[in-house]
Amino acid sequence: MEKNHVVLIKCADQKGLIAAITGVLFRNNHNILLMKEFVEPETNTFFARFELSGELNTETLHTQLEDALPAGTRISINPKRKKDIVILVTKEHHCLSDLLIRYYFNELHANIKAVIGNHDILEAFTEKFGIPFHFLSHEHIERNDFETKLSSLIDQYAPDYVVLAKFMRILSPSFVAQYEERIINIHHSFLPAFIGANPYRKAYERGVKLIGATAHIVNNDLDEGPIITQKIIPVDHEYDVKGMIEAGHEIEKSVLADALKLVLEDRVFVVRNKTIIFN
Amino acid sequence: MEKNHVVLIKCADQKGLIAAITGVLFRNNHNILLMKEFVEPETNTFFARFELSGELNTETLHTQLEDALPAGTRISINPKRKKDIVILVTKEHHCLSDLLIRYYFNELHANIKAVIGNHDILEAFTEKFGIPFHFLSHEHIERNDFETKLSSLIDQYAPDYVVLAKFMRILSPSFVAQYEERIINIHHSFLPAFIGANPYRKAYERGVKLIGATAHIVNNDLDEGPIITQKIIPVDHEYDVKGMIEAGHEIEKSVLADALKLVLEDRVFVVRNKTIIFN
Amino acid sequence: MEKNHVVLIKCADQKGLIAAITGVLFRNNHNILLMKEFVEPETNTFFARFELSGELNTETLHTQLEDALPAGTRISINPKRKKDIVILVTKEHHCLSDLLIRYYFNELHANIKAVIGNHDILEAFTEKFGIPFHFLSHEHIERNDFETKLSSLIDQYAPDYVVLAKFMRILSPSFVAQYEERIINIHHSFLPAFIGANPYRKAYERGVKLIGATAHIVNNDLDEGPIITQKIIPVDHEYDVKGMIEAGHEIEKSVLADALKLVLEDRVFVVRNKTIIFN
Amino acid sequence: MEKNHVVLIKCADQKGLIAAITGVLFRNNHNILLMKEFVEPETNTFFARFELSGELNTETLHTQLEDALPAGTRISINPKRKKDIVILVTKEHHCLSDLLIRYYFNELHANIKAVIGNHDILEAFTEKFGIPFHFLSHEHIERNDFETKLSSLIDQYAPDYVVLAKFMRILSPSFVAQYEERIINIHHSFLPAFIGANPYRKAYERGVKLIGATAHIVNNDLDEGPIITQKIIPVDHEYDVKGMIEAGHEIEKSVLADALKLVLEDRVFVVRNKTIIFN
């Protein structure tokens, strides 16, 4: 049976929540394909994710769940559909090309509506895949104005998510606030090690034996948002900085693709500065 | 809150199972700490595992769940307690010593009731930890008689599980049948590669770049039972057979310890020749 | 300093080989950037790889090394250059697209001269990158004739290597013999587990907790050639065959890319049915 | 053939070093089993490690190598022998017990001369293995005096290396200076993330998806010495701090054992704040 809807529930924990939710689903004759739940102990918050097959009336189910659950419960009933994304890039291609290839072969679970670059290096490549590319230089322009133009470009596509695929500009808190929990970034280190610029140079200087990459949701603080996925690969003394950068590209694109898949399939909850991931 | 009971449910899938179970739990005022479920698609079987806190009357809950669920449902309500195990060994110490150390420092979630060896090499070591060691040679004795004596030794401890910690004798189907789904073995390859004897020699001959270990439940067919855990490590041309064996020991003990933890915490279901693991 | 030449040496082991080789290099004032050696114990064969910077006269050095080393020594002095490859595909794109992207962005260390498919599904995609695509159906044609046409297509590009990027036809020994140690294949399992067709189906049936991919040099026996690289990823009971296939694609392309890099950088020696890899 | 000696060479790089060294070895009729070399690019330093079989006169070879190599070359000719170590612990047993088991079964490549604890919790356990345990409390004593007593205890065993197996006291620079490049520590994070106390608590707070462990050589700065080995394991939102600590123990002991093996086999060079590892 096919997954047709994902139902997400978040509320203060109390006894009987699963019974209440599954009671509503059973009385409506809905079939649960998969269910995951978790109670976050520090905030005592209940999180649950249900995959349902078959048809359903979203509004009716929403009302019934609302009636059955405590006031203040956040309920989200997401029909299976491809989400819309806009990708921001600078010069490096590897995360972008990975996403474009997945999109082209119908494996991304998302529509790439546009790519925006603060350099134009990746324009011709992007357009091979029939995706509009917008070049918006950050030079000779105030940061505020740059971000206003950037928002304006993004907003014309009304994307569900904005993906920073090695976009090497720092975004201001006010920009980020416009897309709360909707900006996904790839950082080229295993955070919190090597926050900020030139992490591979720092990794080389420190002589680490593992290098990593981290995909996270962007919030106000640079490289400090809730982490979705991380991966590492071993390195040794034969790696120079360039070798680390090349090796790192392999996991950066992989980590971003994994994180995006989780986000696009409605598997990621944020609580405080962490993620709960139902995969 | 502490986990006090684990409830395991297995039945033919139908709509409303989770609602029925959680309804019973809610009406009894039980608190679900964690719940996992899965519907195995080929047999259409529903599996669920609940961790409950607080006190409960096992019999009452069992009856109520039985009433609420389809006929033929297997229900198991396990209070939190250390399981009893007996360990079988031959000459190699690494899996045994790993388990003894965990036991000694109260980290094993099991009582090691006895160690039985078909060699006596590990006797003095075992007894350091106050565990009885039985030496039962397989030499100058018919296999049938050997196994009868072995069963008899095992059964005097009435263990929940029998752990083959590099026990290098093949056990007959009739022996195994006495301990259905209760014998855990560690095999020194990533099954199904290199079934049978001398897997590291075979791995060396084949020139693989990964070697592995597999912990599985033993059934009638050698190295063919349901797999619980597997791990691998990289090797290269500088490894000879001896080097592979030494490196392999590191993952063998780790894989067995992981598998045993899953089993002892009631996280492993068997369906056909596979495991469903709620971890 | 830049690596300009790679020198490969293979001969029966005896004392003094490194002294003899490095003596020649020193007297010619060559600079060794990196040196690796290994004596294969079963055949008592010496293998060495040197990276040299600076200019050199290939013929002179070859003669001098020949004079300094035992009769029968195989000496190969490879100037730094991109090798030529031809890629064979069937329907799946993921390995091909990975290689095309690397090629397009000048990261492949090879020239992709052509792509040949026994289906035409990947034709339009390949041509986006300016690479000729040849469609050669295996239907309505004898295998011998198919392979004759295939060789003829390949040979017009005189490639250094032929890459089977999920090419799902079995090649005959006589075909393979034409490209000794020059055909690289990706197999979608951690060999020797699940040799042959449908490895993910077999992995699913067996209930393994790891799935893998293997890149190897093709010889006469199906999936039996010398292994270059292998990787695995964990799976669990929630993976169906389709899920395993999708997850497997991620490592297949990664393993093939890694193996090809090793081959293209002259890091792979073959001895009997194994590889020695100087990386 | 058995490895009988390891020869280590370190000097400023120049052409002809390998030729010079291997020329000496050849003229003395020594057989090289394995050779590794590396030129560290930032300091332009040449490092090499040779494994030799057969008998040799250490003094003669040392003199001949000295004559053949530039002034200032550091030459070390180490006969195959078990090194002596002293282990420092606090309360946690897992690294100590791992090392004691390896020692007991003759797998450690070292003699454990003594264990010193600033708590006495591990005394009875240590003594099971016939190893002297010294309890030296850090309470009611000045740090200077504590360290003086500690040195004095250590020095009576004249160990080659001091192993901090979860020794939870910070050692002063003057203490460390007495054992330059001879103290090996295990830190319970993937450095440089989570330097200092309570790394698992910090990892939990940050919501990382990987936790790690790092074995390093101790120098003046806390957790800042040259890294030998690092490993990570995945975690998710179901891990609390206690769960992370338990999971972390598994890699801590493994990382320390791996690092110690490299050190005891003379495979680790230090250059600036990094290691070069010939494994």
Side-chain angles (χ1 to χ4, degrees):
Chain A
M1 270 175 295
E2 279 298 293
K3 168 176 70 171
N4 281 330
H5 287 82
V6 171
V7 179
L8 304 174
I9 311 274
K10 175 181 175 180
C11 61
D13 189 36
Q14 63 179 58
K15 283 184 192 171
L17 291 171
I18 301 176
I21 299 163
T22 56
V24 168
L25 296 175
F26 181 53
R27 284 191 296 278
N28 282 280
N29 203 28
H30 294 318
N31 191 48
I32 301 171
L33 293 175
L34 196 63
M35 161 193 177
K36 307 249 174 171
E37 59 78 41
F38 181 67
V39 178
E40 203 283 318
E42 307 222 332
T43 59
N44 201 35
T45 310
F46 172 86
F47 296 89
R49 179 181 184 275
F50 296 80
E51 294 186 1
L52 307 181
S53 62
E55 296 305 302
L56 63 77
N57 183 310
T58 302
E59 274 181 52
T60 308
L61 181 58
H62 201 285
T63 306
Q64 290 178 333
L65 286 170
E66 220 164 34
D67 292 349
L69 291 166
T73 298
R74 282 173 59 175
I75 300 161
S76 163
I77 303 172
N78 301 336
K80 190 182 170 179
R81 69 163 177 88
K82 288 197 174 176
K83 306 267 198 307
D84 293 335
I85 66 173
V86 166
I87 300 175
L88 273 56
V89 298
T90 294
K91 290 178 178 174
E92 289 176 299
H93 78 86
H94 54 284
C95 289
L96 174 64
S97 52
D98 183 88
L99 297 178
L100 285 175
I101 292 292
R102 291 174 198 270
Y103 170 73
Y104 180 81
F105 287 104
N106 204 21
E107 295 166 355
L108 186 62
H109 311 285
N111 302 307
I112 301 178
K113 304 300 285 186
V115 176
I116 303 171
N118 65 322
H119 288 263
D120 62 359
I121 288 173
L122 298 169
E123 180 159 11
F125 177 69
T126 301
E127 290 176 349
K128 268 187 200 300
F129 296 88
I131 310 284
F133 184 97
H134 301 276
F135 169 42
L136 177 64
S137 176
H138 62 280
E139 294 185 319
H140 315 302
I141 184 172
E142 297 278 329
R143 186 164 116 171
N144 263 2
D145 293 342
F146 173 76
E147 290 194 347
T148 304
K149 288 192 178 185
L150 185 57
S151 295
S152 159
L153 270 174
I154 291 168
D155 293 348
Q156 75 184 75
Y157 296 103
D160 295 284
Y161 293 98
V162 176
V163 179
L164 310 185
K166 303 288 300 209
F167 179 68
M168 306 308 275
R169 305 298 302 169
I170 295 169
L171 297 166
S172 71
S174 64
F175 179 91
V176 170
Q178 295 173 67
Y179 308 95
E180 195 191 349
E181 294 187 15
R182 288 167 52 211
I183 306 178
I184 313 301
N185 185 40
I186 177 73
H187 182 76
H188 38 320
S189 82
F190 52 105
L191 291 173
F194 311 127
I195 285 180
N198 296 321
Y200 292 118
R201 162 62 58 185
K202 289 172 190 162
Y204 174 77
E205 296 293 346
R206 180 61 189 90
V208 292
K209 300 299 184 184
L210 304 173
I211 57 173
T214 304
H216 65 97
I217 295 166
V218 178
N219 64 10
N220 287 358
D221 296 308
L222 174 67
D223 302 338
E224 291 286 356
I227 293 170
I228 306 170
T229 50
Q230 300 189 288
K231 279 189 193 169
I232 58 89
I233 42 171
V235 291
D236 64 26
H237 61 269
E238 293 194 6
Y239 282 74
D240 57 12
V241 177
K242 190 164 161 288
M244 286 189 181
I245 289 171
E246 283 175 13
H249 285 179
E250 303 296 320
I251 45 171
E252 290 170 24
K253 67 188 182 189
S254 162
V255 163
L256 180 58
D258 287 356
L260 211 48
K261 187 167 192 287
L262 294 170
V263 166
L264 293 169
E265 293 178 358
D266 296 310
R267 296 177 184 278
V268 180
F269 279 101
V270 172
V271 53
R272 298 193 307 167
N273 200 40
K274 301 182 191 184
T275 57
I276 289 164
I277 296 179
F278 292 128
N279 65 335
Chain B
M1 272 174 295
E2 280 297 293
K3 169 177 67 169
N4 281 331
H5 287 83
V6 171
V7 179
L8 304 174
I9 312 274
K10 175 181 175 180
C11 61
D13 189 36
Q14 63 179 56
K15 283 183 192 172
L17 292 170
I18 301 174
I21 299 163
T22 56
V24 168
L25 295 174
F26 180 53
R27 283 192 297 278
N28 282 281
N29 202 28
H30 295 318
N31 190 47
I32 302 171
L33 292 175
L34 196 64
M35 152 184 187
K36 307 248 174 174
E37 58 80 41
F38 181 67
V39 178
E40 203 281 322
E42 308 222 330
T43 58
N44 201 37
T45 310
F46 171 87
F47 296 89
R49 179 181 184 276
F50 296 80
E51 294 185 2
L52 306 182
S53 62
E55 296 306 301
L56 62 78
N57 182 309
T58 301
E59 275 180 53
T60 308
L61 182 59
H62 201 284
T63 306
Q64 290 178 333
L65 285 170
E66 219 164 34
D67 292 349
L69 292 166
T73 298
R74 282 174 57 176
I75 299 162
S76 164
I77 303 172
N78 302 335
K80 190 183 169 179
R81 69 163 178 90
K82 288 197 175 178
K83 306 266 198 308
D84 293 336
I85 65 173
V86 166
I87 301 175
L88 274 57
V89 298
T90 294
K91 291 179 179 173
E92 289 177 299
H93 78 87
H94 53 285
C95 290
L96 174 65
S97 52
D98 184 87
L99 297 178
L100 285 175
I101 292 292
R102 290 175 198 271
Y103 170 73
Y104 181 82
F105 287 104
N106 204 19
E107 295 167 354
L108 187 62
H109 311 284
N111 302 308
I112 302 178
K113 303 300 285 185
V115 175
I116 303 169
N118 64 320
H119 289 262
D120 62 1
I121 290 175
L122 298 169
E123 181 161 10
F125 178 68
T126 300
E127 290 176 348
K128 269 189 200 300
F129 296 89
I131 311 284
F133 183 97
H134 300 276
F135 169 42
L136 177 66
S137 176
H138 62 281
E139 294 184 320
H140 315 301
I141 183 171
E142 294 278 326
R143 185 163 116 171
N144 263 1
D145 293 341
F146 174 76
E147 291 193 348
T148 303
K149 288 193 178 185
L150 185 56
S151 293
S152 162
L153 270 174
I154 291 170
D155 294 348
Q156 75 186 75
Y157 296 104
D160 295 285
Y161 293 98
V162 176
V163 179
L164 310 185
K166 304 288 299 204
F167 179 67
M168 306 309 273
R169 306 298 302 168
I170 294 170
L171 297 166
S172 72
S174 65
F175 179 91
V176 170
Q178 296 173 66
Y179 308 95
E180 195 190 349
E181 295 187 13
R182 289 168 50 212
I183 305 179
I184 312 301
N185 185 40
I186 177 73
H187 182 75
H188 38 320
S189 81
F190 52 106
L191 292 173
F194 311 126
I195 285 180
N198 296 320
Y200 291 118
R201 161 63 57 185
K202 290 172 189 160
Y204 174 77
E205 295 293 347
R206 181 60 190 91
V208 293
K209 300 300 184 185
L210 304 173
I211 56 172
T214 304
H216 65 96
I217 296 166
V218 178
N219 65 10
N220 287 357
D221 296 308
L222 174 68
D223 302 340
E224 290 287 356
I227 293 171
I228 305 170
T229 50
Q230 300 189 288
K231 279 190 193 169
I232 59 89
I233 42 170
V235 292
D236 63 27
H237 60 269
E238 294 193 5
Y239 283 75
D240 56 13
V241 177
K242 189 163 160 289
M244 285 190 181
I245 289 171
E246 283 175 14
H249 285 180
E250 303 296 319
I251 47 172
E252 288 170 25
K253 65 188 183 188
S254 161
V255 163
L256 180 59
D258 288 356
L260 211 49
K261 187 168 192 288
L262 294 169
V263 166
L264 295 169
E265 294 178 358
D266 297 310
R267 296 175 184 279
V268 180
F269 279 102
V270 172
V271 55
R272 298 193 306 168
N273 200 40
K274 301 183 191 184
T275 58
I276 289 165
I277 296 179
F278 291 128
N279 65 335
Chain C
M1 270 175 296
E2 280 298 293
K3 168 177 70 171
N4 281 331
H5 288 82
V6 170
V7 179
L8 304 173
I9 311 275
K10 174 181 175 180
C11 60
D13 189 37
Q14 63 179 56
K15 284 183 191 171
L17 292 170
I18 301 175
I21 299 163
T22 56
V24 168
L25 297 174
F26 181 53
R27 284 192 295 279
N28 282 280
N29 203 29
H30 294 318
N31 191 48
I32 302 171
L33 293 176
L34 196 65
M35 160 190 178
K36 308 249 174 172
E37 59 78 40
F38 181 68
V39 178
E40 203 282 320
E42 307 222 332
T43 58
N44 202 34
T45 311
F46 171 87
F47 297 89
R49 179 182 183 275
F50 296 81
E51 295 185 2
L52 306 181
S53 63
E55 296 305 302
L56 63 77
N57 184 310
T58 302
E59 275 180 51
T60 308
L61 181 58
H62 200 285
T63 306
Q64 291 178 332
L65 286 170
E66 221 163 33
D67 292 349
L69 292 165
T73 298
R74 282 173 58 176
I75 300 161
S76 164
I77 303 172
N78 302 337
K80 190 182 169 178
R81 70 163 176 89
K82 289 197 175 177
K83 307 268 198 306
D84 293 335
I85 65 173
V86 167
I87 300 175
L88 274 56
V89 297
T90 295
K91 290 178 178 174
E92 289 177 299
H93 77 87
H94 54 284
C95 289
L96 175 64
S97 52
D98 183 87
L99 297 178
L100 285 175
I101 292 292
R102 291 175 198 270
Y103 171 72
Y104 180 82
F105 286 104
N106 205 20
E107 295 166 355
L108 186 64
H109 310 285
N111 302 306
I112 301 178
K113 303 301 285 185
V115 176
I116 303 171
N118 65 321
H119 288 263
D120 62 0
I121 288 174
L122 298 169
E123 180 160 11
F125 177 68
T126 301
E127 291 176 348
K128 268 188 201 300
F129 296 89
I131 311 285
F133 183 98
H134 300 275
F135 169 42
L136 177 64
S137 176
H138 61 280
E139 294 184 318
H140 315 301
I141 184 172
E142 295 277 328
R143 186 164 117 171
N144 263 0
D145 294 342
F146 174 76
E147 290 194 347
T148 304
K149 288 191 178 187
L150 185 56
S151 294
S152 161
L153 270 174
I154 290 169
D155 293 347
Q156 75 185 73
Y157 297 103
D160 295 284
Y161 293 99
V162 176
V163 180
L164 310 185
K166 303 289 298 211
F167 179 68
M168 307 308 276
R169 305 299 302 169
I170 294 169
L171 296 166
S172 71
S174 64
F175 179 91
V176 170
Q178 297 172 67
Y179 308 96
E180 195 190 349
E181 294 188 14
R182 289 168 51 211
I183 306 178
I184 313 301
N185 185 41
I186 177 73
H187 182 76
H188 37 321
S189 81
F190 52 105
L191 291 173
F194 311 126
I195 284 180
N198 296 321
Y200 291 118
R201 161 62 59 186
K202 289 172 188 162
Y204 174 77
E205 296 293 346
R206 180 61 189 89
V208 293
K209 301 299 185 186
L210 304 173
I211 56 173
T214 304
H216 65 97
I217 296 166
V218 178
N219 65 9
N220 288 358
D221 296 307
L222 173 68
D223 301 339
E224 291 285 356
I227 292 171
I228 306 170
T229 50
Q230 300 188 288
K231 279 189 193 170
I232 58 88
I233 43 171
V235 292
D236 63 27
H237 60 270
E238 293 194 6
Y239 283 74
D240 56 13
V241 177
K242 191 164 160 288
M244 286 190 180
I245 290 171
E246 283 175 15
H249 285 179
E250 303 296 320
I251 45 172
E252 289 170 24
K253 66 188 182 189
S254 162
V255 163
L256 180 59
D258 288 355
L260 212 48
K261 188 168 192 286
L262 294 170
V263 166
L264 295 169
E265 293 178 358
D266 295 311
R267 296 176 184 278
V268 180
F269 278 101
V270 172
V271 55
R272 298 192 307 167
N273 200 40
K274 301 182 191 185
T275 57
I276 289 164
I277 296 179
F278 292 128
N279 65 335
Chain D
M1 269 174 298
E2 281 297 293
K3 169 178 68 170
N4 281 331
H5 287 83
V6 171
V7 179
L8 304 173
I9 312 275
K10 175 181 175 181
C11 61
D13 189 37
Q14 63 178 57
K15 284 183 191 171
L17 292 170
I18 301 174
I21 299 162
T22 56
V24 169
L25 296 174
F26 181 53
R27 283 191 298 277
N28 282 281
N29 203 29
H30 294 319
N31 190 47
I32 302 172
L33 293 176
L34 196 64
M35 155 187 184
K36 308 248 174 174
E37 59 78 41
F38 181 67
V39 178
E40 203 282 321
E42 308 221 333
T43 58
N44 201 35
T45 310
F46 171 87
F47 296 89
R49 179 182 184 277
F50 296 80
E51 295 184 2
L52 306 182
S53 63
E55 296 305 301
L56 63 78
N57 182 308
T58 302
E59 274 180 54
T60 308
L61 181 58
H62 200 286
T63 306
Q64 290 177 333
L65 286 170
E66 219 164 35
D67 292 349
L69 293 166
T73 298
R74 282 173 56 175
I75 300 162
S76 164
I77 303 172
N78 302 336
K80 190 183 171 179
R81 70 162 177 91
K82 288 197 175 178
K83 307 268 198 307
D84 292 336
I85 65 173
V86 167
I87 300 176
L88 274 56
V89 298
T90 295
K91 291 179 180 174
E92 289 177 299
H93 77 87
H94 54 284
C95 289
L96 174 64
S97 53
D98 184 87
L99 297 177
L100 285 175
I101 292 291
R102 291 174 197 271
Y103 170 73
Y104 181 82
F105 286 104
N106 204 20
E107 295 166 356
L108 186 63
H109 311 286
N111 301 307
I112 301 179
K113 304 300 285 186
V115 175
I116 303 169
N118 65 321
H119 289 262
D120 62 2
I121 290 176
L122 298 169
E123 180 160 9
F125 177 68
T126 301
E127 291 175 350
K128 268 188 201 300
F129 296 90
I131 311 283
F133 184 96
H134 301 275
F135 170 41
L136 176 66
S137 175
H138 63 281
E139 294 183 320
H140 315 300
I141 184 172
E142 295 277 327
R143 185 163 117 172
N144 263 2
D145 294 341
F146 174 76
E147 291 194 347
T148 303
K149 289 191 178 186
L150 185 57
S151 294
S152 161
L153 271 174
I154 291 169
D155 293 348
Q156 74 185 76
Y157 296 103
D160 295 285
Y161 293 98
V162 175
V163 179
L164 310 184
K166 304 289 298 210
F167 180 66
M168 306 309 273
R169 306 299 303 168
I170 295 170
L171 297 166
S172 71
S174 64
F175 180 91
V176 170
Q178 296 173 68
Y179 308 95
E180 195 190 350
E181 295 187 13
R182 288 168 52 211
I183 306 178
I184 313 301
N185 184 40
I186 177 72
H187 182 76
H188 38 321
S189 81
F190 52 104
L191 292 173
F194 310 127
I195 284 179
N198 296 321
Y200 292 118
R201 161 62 57 184
K202 289 172 189 161
Y204 174 78
E205 296 294 346
R206 180 61 189 91
V208 293
K209 301 299 184 184
L210 305 173
I211 57 172
T214 304
H216 64 96
I217 295 166
V218 178
N219 64 9
N220 287 358
D221 296 308
L222 174 67
D223 302 339
E224 290 286 356
I227 293 171
I228 305 170
T229 49
Q230 299 188 288
K231 279 189 194 170
I232 59 89
I233 41 170
V235 291
D236 63 27
H237 60 270
E238 293 193 5
Y239 283 75
D240 56 12
V241 176
K242 189 164 161 288
M244 286 190 181
I245 289 171
E246 283 174 15
H249 285 179
E250 303 295 320
I251 46 171
E252 289 170 26
K253 65 189 183 189
S254 161
V255 163
L256 181 58
D258 288 356
L260 211 48
K261 187 168 192 288
L262 294 169
V263 166
L264 294 169
E265 293 179 357
D266 296 310
R267 295 176 185 280
V268 180
F269 279 102
V270 173
V271 55
R272 299 193 305 169
N273 200 40
K274 301 183 192 184
T275 57
I276 289 164
I277 296 179
F278 291 128
N279 65 334

